[in-house]
Amino acid sequence: MKHIQQTPSAQAFLDWYQPIHAPFVRYCSSKSLNSLSTEDLVQEALLATLSAFDAIKDKEKLLSYMIGIVNNIIKNHLRKKKFQGQWNEERMATIAAKVTDPEIALDIQYLYQCIQKLSPKAQEAILLFEISGFSLKEVSKIQQTSVAAVKTRLHRARKELKRLVAQDNRKRSLSERMAIYASLLF
Amino acid sequence: MKRNININHSFAHLRNLPIEISFEQVQQWVEKAPPKPLIANGWLSYWLSKLNHWKSSKN
């Protein structure tokens, strides 16, 4: 393997980052479904964190900082988009490309739609713990709260998700119908 | 159409998907990251502009 020459802070950053690499990429992947590529999101967030690595003395706060950067990038990107619909062909195509079974891809697409209806904190907790695979302690650090509070948040979020998943065959709102028509037209 | 979605199974499926970016890729990004600009003295540019202004007013 090629030996990579790095500055001490870059090496320290990589040492800190390596254990959270897989869950972090999964989190970015779940956040970037209908906006930008996972690779672009991971790269942008990593380089922004790297540039602030030396300035942040308390490394315990670094993970929270990095997740905050990801959320802000997504927020800014979605703001720039002219139209946001819950029905999204692009998102479905992204999921289908990752999951080979079309039935599971459809389940996941529907599950993501339900996750989007949760409160922002509950949504983040579900994405971090259930999908990305961060530990409860890490989620509590990211959300700057106690482990017990995260457990409660997750319990309520799962309960709400079960309710949302069970609630089907309902009449779609005008905005949802408009989103479907627009996705078919353009 | 009503779908019976197993939430826990779908979560487990998502968690077990292979990740799209390897750690080696990240190492390369970090290696190629542009160096941070050296800000030795934030006041330097201010004093230089003051000095230039003083010099031009003297002439």
Side-chain angles (χ1 to χ4, degrees):
Chain A
M1 206 174 91
K2 197 184 114 188
H3 178 72
I4 296 171
Q5 289 287 327
Q6 278 139 2
T7 58
S9 69
Q11 188 53 55
F13 172 74
L14 284 172
D15 291 343
W16 170 83
Y17 171 75
Q18 194 168 14
I20 58 153
H21 173 66
F24 179 69
V25 173
R26 270 191 215 106
Y27 182 72
C28 290
S29 181
S30 64
K31 289 293 278 187
S32 65
L33 278 176
N34 59 336
S35 45
L36 69 167
S37 83
T38 307
E39 196 173 324
D40 288 346
L41 182 60
V42 171
Q43 190 176 23
E44 208 176 323
L46 276 175
L47 295 182
T49 314
L50 176 66
S51 66
F53 187 73
D54 292 331
I56 299 170
K57 297 288 171 223
D58 186 2
K59 301 296 183 227
E60 293 276 302
K61 288 178 181 165
L62 210 59
L63 184 57
S64 171
Y65 178 81
M66 195 155 74
I67 295 293
I69 288 174
V70 172
N71 293 342
N72 285 339
I73 294 170
I74 292 291
K75 219 180 279 174
N76 290 338
H77 196 82
L78 289 177
R79 203 178 292 144
K80 282 178 199 163
K81 276 188 133 185
K82 282 181 187 170
F83 179 78
Q84 293 174 46
Q86 285 192 336
W87 180 267
N88 197 316
E89 290 285 331
E90 200 182 328
R91 188 196 301 163
M92 186 61 207
T94 315
I95 295 168
K98 289 178 189 175
V99 184
T100 45
D101 188 342
E103 283 294 309
I104 295 173
L106 200 61
D107 283 358
I108 289 170
Q109 151 82 348
Y110 189 68
L111 192 62
Y112 270 125
Q113 278 185 8
C114 294
I115 291 172
Q116 280 190 334
K117 289 173 192 164
L118 298 174
S119 69
K121 283 283 174 194
Q123 204 181 106
E124 191 184 62
I126 286 284
L127 291 181
L128 288 167
F129 183 75
E130 298 285 12
I131 296 175
S132 311
F134 280 108
S135 68
L136 281 172
K137 204 179 167 190
E138 284 168 328
V139 179
S140 73
K141 272 183 203 167
I142 293 165
Q143 297 204 320
Q144 293 172 358
T145 185
S146 66
V147 172
V150 173
K151 279 183 185 171
T152 312
R153 191 171 280 160
L154 282 168
H155 175 73
R156 285 180 186 158
R158 283 191 210 105
K159 210 173 157 185
E160 180 64 7
L161 265 182
K162 271 183 193 163
R163 193 189 66 78
L164 288 168
V165 165
Q167 181 195 51
D168 201 355
N169 209 13
R170 70 201 157 79
K171 198 169 183 269
R172 290 184 188 274
S173 68
L174 181 65
S175 62
E176 282 175 315
R177 273 180 284 156
M178 290 300 285
I180 293 168
Y181 298 147
S183 73
L184 291 170
L185 287 169
F186 304 109
Chain B
M1 188 185 78
K2 195 168 174 72
R3 291 187 66 80
N4 288 318
I5 298 173
N6 185 335
I7 299 176
N8 290 336
H9 181 259
S10 302
F11 280 152
H13 196 93
L14 281 168
R15 249 197 325 266
N16 293 326
L17 284 177
I19 53 168
E20 296 140 288
I21 298 151
S22 67
F23 184 68
E24 284 71 30
Q25 176 72 63
V26 170
Q27 277 181 312
Q28 286 184 7
W29 287 339
V30 170
E31 183 199 12
K32 288 173 187 166
K36 275 191 285 179
L38 185 69
I39 306 166
N41 185 354
W43 288 95
L44 190 64
S45 54
Y46 172 79
W47 289 117
L48 284 173
S49 69
K50 280 276 175 195
L51 186 67
N52 278 337
H53 180 73
W54 175 71
K55 271 185 182 173
S56 60
S57 64
K58 215 178 172 189
N59 296 330

